[in-house]
Amino acid sequence: MSRHVAIVTDSTAYLPARTMERHRITAVPLIVVLGDRALEEGTEISTRSLAQALQKRRPVTTSRPGPEVFAETYRRVAESGATGIVSLHLSAELSGTYDAAVVAAREAPVPVRVVDTGMIAMALGFCALAAAETAEAGGTVDEAVTAAEKRAAATSAYFYVDTLDYLRRGGRIGAAQALLGSALAVKPLLQLADGRIEPLEKVRTASKAIARLEEIAADRAGGAKVDVAVHHLAAHERAAALAERLRGRLPGLADLHVSEVGAVIGAHTGPGLLGVVVSAR
C-alpha cells in the first residue's frame, strides 16, 4: 500500500459527495435525535424530514459521534494504507465532536492530529479540502494541518435566520442571547466568530436582511480570489438567487457551491436559513 496522509472530517462539512470521493476525504456522521430515534446525519435522516419535523414543532436534538465511532474510522483509514491522519472538525464551542475525536486518536494505530477548526458547514469543508490537496501533493501531517489552519483563518461565515428560536432552544447562540426578547421580531444576521455564533446585525425585514447578507459577503470577498458557498434550509429559490447575484459581484470568484445544510445544522437554525461562506485561497 502507498504511504499517504488521510483526511477525516465530520458530516457537518457538507462537502459534495463527488468532492469527498475525489479527494478521499472520510466524514464521520453526527447524530440527530428525532423524538426517540437517533439517526445518522447524511444517511438516515433527510433535510426534508427534518424541516417537516421542525415545522410541526417535534422535539429535535443533536449529538456528537461517540469515541468508538472515531476509533473504528481511524482503524479503517489506517488499514487502507494511511500512515498518518488529519482529523478536522466543527467548532468545539458548538459540539463535543472534537473531544470525542481526541479520545479516539490516543489509541489509533497511526498518528492522528485532531484539529478544532472553529468552523462549521462549508467553512469546515474548505479547510478539509485545503488539507486534502496538501496531502495529495505529498505533504506531511503537519503540512496538511497548517494548510487547514491557514484556510480557516482566511474564511468567514455569515448567516440569516428567520427566527432565533431554534438557536435559542438548542443553546447555540452564545452572545446572541442579547438579541432575544423584543428583538425576536427582527430578522437577525449572525456570524461565526472565534468558533461561536455571534450577532452581527438586526434588520427589520427578510428582504433587507438578505440584501445586507449579500453586501457583507461581497465586502468580505473584495477583489481577492475566493471560494464561496451559499447554504440554505428549505429555501432553495432564495439561495439560488443569492448565489447568482454573488456570481456577478465577485471578480475573484473561483468556485461557487450552493447546497442545503444537513440535519444537524438545520436542527439549530430552522427552515429559511441562508448562509454565505467566503474563503480566500
Side-chain angles (χ1 to χ4, degrees):
M1 295 182 182
S2 62
R3 295 173 61 85
H4 70 273
V5 173
I7 307 303
V8 173
T9 186
D10 58 67
S11 60
T12 67
Y14 301 141
L15 286 164
R18 285 179 295 180
T19 301
M20 299 275 288
E21 292 169 7
R22 183 166 66 251
H23 294 282
R24 300 174 67 185
I25 299 171
T26 301
V28 175
L30 271 70
I31 304 300
V32 177
V33 182
L34 184 58
D36 60 354
R37 300 174 63 205
L39 306 168
E40 288 188 353
E41 179 176 43
T43 59
E44 297 180 336
I45 181 170
S46 68
T47 49
R48 177 175 295 182
S49 297
L50 171 79
Q52 291 172 345
L54 291 173
Q55 287 162 349
K56 293 176 181 177
R57 300 190 70 82
R58 293 180 60 188
V60 180
T61 58
T62 59
S63 177
R64 71 177 190 180
E68 68 281 359
V69 178
F70 279 105
E72 172 60 20
T73 299
Y74 297 152
R75 184 190 63 76
R76 279 191 289 106
V77 170
E79 288 178 353
S80 74
T83 55
I85 298 170
V86 177
S87 198
L88 302 155
H89 300 291
L90 80 161
S91 172
E93 294 282 348
L94 303 175
S95 169
T97 301
Y98 166 81
D99 294 329
V102 168
V103 171
R106 294 173 186 148
E107 305 299 327
V110 297
V112 180
R113 283 281 301 277
V114 183
V115 180
D116 171 13
T117 66
M119 301 282 112
I120 54 175
M122 273 295 291
L124 167 59
F126 288 133
C127 294
L129 277 176
E133 289 166 355
T134 299
E136 288 163 4
T140 64
V141 166
D142 287 347
E143 289 168 338
V145 169
T146 297
E149 291 175 339
K150 285 183 177 178
R151 196 64 187 263
T155 299
S156 299
Y158 308 99
F159 308 93
Y160 160 81
V161 291
D162 276 334
T163 173
L164 285 171
D165 190 42
Y166 297 103
L167 285 162
R168 177 184 58 79
R169 281 191 253 164
R172 294 302 196 277
I173 51 176
Q177 291 281 357
L179 290 177
L180 293 177
S182 62
L184 282 172
V186 306
K187 298 300 183 183
L189 293 177
L190 308 169
Q191 65 179 333
L192 191 64
D194 298 322
R196 298 184 296 273
I197 297 172
E198 303 280 5
L200 183 59
E201 295 181 10
K202 302 179 238 180
V203 187
R204 285 295 174 186
T205 67
S207 60
K208 289 181 180 178
I210 295 168
R212 182 62 184 136
L213 181 65
E214 177 185 339
E215 291 287 341
I216 291 167
D219 288 346
R220 174 65 180 83
K225 187 174 183 179
V226 294
D227 295 324
V228 171
V230 176
H231 288 304
H232 72 95
L233 180 62
H236 175 75
E237 291 184 3
R238 275 181 175 177
L242 175 58
E244 194 58 32
R245 292 195 300 272
L246 287 171
R247 191 185 300 277
R249 293 190 62 164
L250 306 183
L253 182 64
D255 288 332
L256 176 63
H257 304 262
V258 181
S259 65
E260 193 163 33
V261 298
V264 167
I265 289 180
H268 294 291
T269 60
L273 163 75
L274 276 182
V276 180
V277 176
V278 180
S279 183
R281 290 198 175 189

